[in-house]
Amino acid sequence: RTSPGLERARRQLCDLAAEHLAKATAAIRALPPDLRPAFIAVALLAGQLRGVRAAADPFALPSDLSDLGKLARLARARWLHS
């Protein structure tokens, strides 16, 4: 069962995750272009974080992209940052 304290903790964790994601994204952009593909999976994290934030039940798994959707997002990120 959820509680105000649990919701507060979830918001704090999501905020912390968003801060770390922003820092990681900035650090990846600062890398030489030939090293950036090693971190392409980061392109999926913003959407996953939005899913965790939007989930009504903190104990339920958030919805996720289909495998095809993930591949499309990764290809788009690779194309945009190449």
Side-chain angles (χ1 to χ4, degrees), residues 35-74:
L35 295 179
R36 293 180 198 156
F39 300 94
I40 197 71
V42 171
L44 300 174
L45 297 178
Q48 291 173 334
L49 182 56
R50 278 191 303 274
V52 170
R53 283 185 192 265
D57 179 3
F59 297 107
L61 292 175
S63 62
D64 200 7
L65 286 175
S66 67
D67 290 343
L68 184 58
K70 288 177 187 176
L71 288 172
R73 187 166 287 175
L74 292 171

Side-chain angles (χ1 to χ4, degrees), residues 23-33 35-36:
K23 289 177 185 177
T25 301
I28 292 166
R29 282 191 192 124
L31 289 172
L35 295 179
R36 293 180 198 156

